[in-house]
Amino acid sequence: MSRPGQGISRREFLALAAGAALAPALPFRAFAQSKTGTPLHGVSAFGDLKYAPDFTHFGYLNPDAPKGGTLNFSPPNWQFNQNVTTFNTLNTFVLTGDAPPRMEMCYDALMTRALDEPDALYGMLAETVEISADRNSFAFRLRPQARWHDGTPVTAEDVAFTYSTFKEKGHPVLMLPLAEMTAAGAIDPRTVRLTFSGKQAPTTLLSVATFPIVSKAWFSQNPFDSSQLVAPLGSGPYKVGRVSAGQSIVYERVADYWGRDLSVNKGRANFDTIRIDVYRERQAGFEAFKKGDVTYRQEFTSRVWATGYDFPAINDGRVVKREFPGEKNPSMQGWALNQRRPQFGDARVRRAVALCFDFEWTNRNLFYGLYDRSQSCFQTSEFVAEGLPSPEELALLEPFRAEIPEEAFGEAVMQPVSNASGRDRKLLGEASRLLADAGWKRNGAFVVNEKGERLKLEILVNDEVFIRVDSPFVENMRAVGIDASIRQVDPAQYAVRQNDFDFDMISLALSLSATPTFDTLQNIFHSNAATTRGSRNLPATASPAVDGLIAKAGEAKSRDELTVALRALDRVLRARMDWIPNWFSANHRAAYWDMFGFVEPKPDYGFPIEAMWWFDKDKAAAIGKA
């Protein structure tokens, strides 16, 4: 059982807009190692591009995929304020309100990601980007055929308006990367320049070039807020069709989409319609899948995966149940203890809480052995610290020794392994000692501070399934004297409380980009984000050492330097216990009605089936789904 739908990196959101192509014989150099003042068809963090300027299509897509058919699915959340259980706005660019999933399909960006490379961007709305000699400004040349859905051209004024508006009024995930942007201006109708102060991270371009572009004319007539269920004008391969607020949304493929023949789009956006129904309960969504109302399902409940897939359609082969490899992107899933509340500011308290979670018992008794224990905020990637620090890691850690827990200089901190009894007396005894050391003394059933106040901890959840999983955790906390409880709230209230940091403890599941940028790391771990409403710095991490290591990662000139910096950062985060890692799955567990085609193997850095798969008429006819 995992916890989808609770936020994700901005980079991952825009990966959904990526398309695919054939690799050239040699890599092409761009961005960090490119010549400045040269129009570039693509950029990457460290200079290597797989696809040449004349590439025809991305290699993980089928350029001859047929168009047609319908995909009905209920996806996990990839966007920062999209909600799979309800929605009340169609503006996905602001903090307030909950937008429906996959609104990003309606908008194009200046550049789009390739999902078979860790950090490469290729031109979408922009046919080229030119980097200034000081690398502080970027001139994007728009494609002359780029059009909004109403047929009017996408102009440099639209792009300049987008970035200026996002910096002033956008969601924090859009606003924070633009903090050092000093100007966004149109040079001519097809050329826009974004200028930065020089204090931005070297990889800022990788974040901001993938922001969706919005219409200046449309927002001149409509408020830039969450007050209406009217879809803003888009330019992407889909537009909003039928909408039933909080229940369902239909996206319709734009038949005359301006970008359908671009090399980044060949074989992409193949379904005529994509319908998303929202289900407030997971079981209701599963029942809809069994009946065929939903045709693709990614399963996040281990109990259902282990025991629920025994129904007529799967037994007679009309439904396929299988696993797809997970991405190579770093992923994190864990609990945040809110250090804005003084009782959780002591790392000993946070470590005591962590000792109360018995993963081994939970995995065996509740998860059917389907999960692995997570150790890191960069799980499933090369950025996970292991063993003792390397000399290169130590060189980054030493300047911050006075501010870093001593554990960061030893073996990488690992989460405790229990005896799988559900009540490991050794681990709970250690938790009690840590609480006592932190000044929490036993007084009857609970521990209290010197004022006689109990140590209270409420886990905030938005789905009943988490009550089942978290209840044994709560029982162990109560066994060591913590006045622990669980509070379930509706998804809208949950989003507000998370954005306002109004919780004791909350969980988060994120997938970062394969090359995490300074902007992504800042939003989750940097002190700048600790007081920014709507950021993902849920535990209020505010450490000069963490900030400094994020800066080192942002300054990396090679992937090796980035890996060293992130492993050092990982050591510090694990020692600080800002996040309590819980569990992860190495693969996607998926089931679908056997009516789709797709290229295998899937790409390493994304899995947007709505963008890559297609409707197969013959397969659909064979199972009565034509």
Side-chain angles (χ1 to χ4, degrees):
M1 206 254 7
S2 64
R3 300 170 181 265
Q6 298 179 41
I8 201 165
S9 72
R10 179 68 192 160
R11 294 286 309 287
E12 186 66 22
F13 152 46
L14 287 156
L16 296 168
L22 300 175
L26 296 171
F28 287 75
R29 312 302 287 178
F31 197 29
Q33 301 177 29
S34 68
K35 293 181 180 179
T36 57
T38 301
L40 305 170
H41 77 291
V43 295
S44 73
F46 305 120
D48 293 336
L49 292 177
K50 180 177 181 179
Y51 298 105
D54 59 350
F55 79 100
T56 59
H57 69 282
F58 287 134
Y60 52 86
L61 294 183
N62 174 10
D64 300 317
K67 306 294 185 183
T70 297
L71 171 67
N72 299 70
F73 79 139
S74 184
N77 271 7
W78 293 126
Q79 180 38 321
F80 36 80
N81 65 333
Q82 295 179 354
N83 199 317
V84 295
T85 56
T86 186
F87 63 91
N88 50 37
T89 180
L90 295 181
N91 183 352
T92 191
F93 312 118
V94 293
L95 178 60
T96 55
D98 297 307
R102 298 308 188 261
M103 282 296 295
E104 64 271 12
M105 298 187 302
C106 300
Y107 306 95
D108 284 324
L110 292 171
M111 307 188 80
T112 189
R113 289 189 60 202
L115 300 185
D116 54 354
E117 298 179 79
D119 53 34
L121 304 181
Y122 295 90
M124 174 70 83
L125 283 170
E127 59 186 4
T128 61
V129 58
E130 187 172 315
I131 304 170
S132 66
D134 61 6
R135 300 188 183 273
N136 290 332
S137 68
F138 311 99
F140 296 90
R141 182 69 171 167
L142 301 184
R143 299 182 190 273
Q145 68 269 40
R147 291 291 185 273
W148 298 107
H149 292 156
D150 65 1
T152 59
V154 179
T155 69
E157 288 288 346
D158 292 313
V159 179
F161 168 83
T162 296
Y163 285 94
S164 297
T165 303
F166 286 173
K167 177 172 180 172
E168 179 185 358
K169 304 176 182 178
H171 190 284
V173 176
L174 298 167
M175 184 187 300
L176 286 173
L178 297 174
E180 297 300 331
M181 187 184 77
T182 58
I187 299 174
D188 60 49
R190 284 182 50 206
T191 308
V192 63
R193 184 182 302 279
L194 305 181
T195 304
F196 291 80
S197 67
K199 298 178 182 178
Q200 77 282 357
T203 54
T204 291
L205 176 62
L206 298 182
S207 297
V208 303
T210 53
F211 284 3
I213 302 303
V214 300
S215 166
K216 178 180 180 179
W218 195 91
F219 277 111
S220 296
Q221 301 296 320
N222 297 274
F224 188 80
D225 60 25
S226 62
S227 63
Q228 54 189 325
L229 277 165
V230 178
L233 182 64
S235 65
Y238 286 92
K239 62 182 179 181
V240 174
R242 297 188 311 276
V243 175
S244 178
Q247 297 180 14
S248 65
I249 185 169
V250 174
Y251 297 100
E252 300 172 348
R253 187 170 61 84
V254 178
D256 60 349
Y257 169 50
W258 74 270
R260 62 186 179 275
D261 295 324
L262 296 180
S263 56
V264 294
N265 286 332
K266 287 288 186 68
R268 173 177 170 263
N270 302 311
F271 296 105
D272 277 350
T273 57
I274 296 175
R275 178 186 174 96
I276 295 174
D277 295 302
V278 298
Y279 297 96
R280 288 175 173 81
E281 297 180 355
R282 294 190 183 200
Q283 188 59 36
F286 184 51
E287 293 301 323
F289 174 74
K290 289 161 64 176
K291 290 189 298 182
D293 294 339
V294 172
T295 51
Y296 173 88
R297 176 180 175 84
Q298 193 163 334
E299 187 57 69
F300 295 102
T301 305
S302 52
R303 173 183 54 81
V304 174
W305 185 255
T307 66
Y309 285 81
D310 183 16
F311 51 91
I314 200 164
N315 293 330
D316 63 24
R318 287 177 293 156
V319 169
V320 177
K321 176 192 177 190
R322 62 168 289 184
E323 296 189 12
F324 292 90
E327 284 68 68
K328 295 181 179 180
N329 300 7
S331 64
M332 60 179 287
Q333 180 166 305
W335 291 287
L337 277 168
N338 190 355
Q339 296 172 43
R340 300 169 188 86
R341 301 186 173 176
Q343 65 267 36
F344 306 123
D346 193 317
R348 291 170 295 186
V349 172
R350 302 195 295 273
R351 189 170 300 280
V353 170
L355 287 164
C356 294
F357 175 57
D358 192 328
F359 169 77
E360 285 68 31
W361 183 92
T362 302
N363 196 36
R364 185 183 68 189
N365 292 278
L366 301 181
F367 295 165
Y368 296 84
L370 293 175
Y371 287 94
D372 295 309
R373 184 68 198 263
S374 182
Q375 302 290 345
S376 168
C377 292
F378 305 110
Q379 201 68 51
T380 67
S381 77
E382 68 269 37
F383 308 131
V384 177
E386 296 179 345
L388 293 169
S390 67
E392 294 79 10
E393 291 171 55
L394 283 174
L396 296 181
L397 293 171
E398 282 294 347
F400 303 107
R401 180 175 280 274
E403 303 164 7
I404 293 176
E406 187 60 31
E407 293 91 337
F409 293 90
E411 295 278 345
V413 171
M414 303 291 287
Q415 296 302 304
V417 177
S418 78
N419 60 14
S421 67
R423 190 66 66 89
D424 188 313
R425 294 173 64 87
K426 179 180 178 181
L427 296 182
L428 295 183
E430 176 62 19
S432 294
R433 287 190 290 274
L434 285 169
L435 291 175
D437 290 345
W440 296 93
K441 307 302 182 183
R442 197 76 181 216
N443 183 4
F446 299 102
V447 294
V448 298
N449 61 16
E450 59 184 10
K451 298 179 181 179
E453 300 166 330
R454 291 182 184 178
L455 177 55
K456 294 185 177 182
L457 188 155
E458 178 186 89
I459 303 177
L460 187 68
V461 303
N462 65 352
D463 193 313
E464 187 175 353
V465 70
F466 299 136
I467 295 178
R468 173 173 171 265
V469 173
D470 292 343
S471 289
F473 188 12
V474 166
E475 291 174 8
N476 277 348
M477 284 192 276
R478 294 180 73 86
V480 300
I482 300 172
D483 187 0
S485 61
I486 303 171
R487 180 179 293 274
Q488 181 184 352
V489 297
D490 64 71
Q493 184 180 356
Y494 184 93
V496 170
R497 290 187 61 175
Q498 176 177 280
N499 287 336
D500 289 342
F501 308 124
D502 182 17
F503 56 84
D504 291 338
M505 182 171 170
I506 198 170
S507 66
L508 185 70
L510 290 177
S511 179
L512 284 65
S513 69
T515 304
T517 65
F518 174 87
D519 305 300
T520 297
L521 298 170
Q522 174 183 234
N523 190 31
I524 307 169
F525 307 117
H526 200 284
S527 58
N528 287 348
T531 56
T532 302
R533 181 175 180 267
S535 81
R536 291 299 177 256
N537 188 346
L538 301 183
T541 304
S543 161
V546 171
D547 293 352
L549 292 171
I550 290 174
K552 289 295 184 183
E555 296 165 2
K557 299 296 191 299
S558 68
R559 194 160 194 88
D560 286 344
E561 288 185 15
L562 178 68
T563 299
V564 169
L566 291 183
R567 286 179 179 173
L569 176 61
D570 186 41
R571 292 180 184 279
V572 175
L573 293 172
R574 288 158 68 174
R576 284 176 52 87
M577 198 62 68
D578 289 306
W579 296 86
I580 301 173
N582 47 39
W583 56 83
F584 75 98
S585 174
N587 297 319
H588 297 282
R589 300 186 181 103
Y592 53 91
W593 288 76
D594 193 11
M595 51 193 284
F596 303 114
F598 48 85
V599 175
E600 293 200 79
K602 63 172 283 296
D604 286 336
Y605 302 106
F607 192 49
I609 64 109
E610 67 277 16
M612 302 190 301
W613 288 19
W614 63 88
F615 180 78
D616 188 313
K617 293 190 298 183
D618 294 336
K619 285 185 175 182
I623 64 170
K625 284 279 192 180

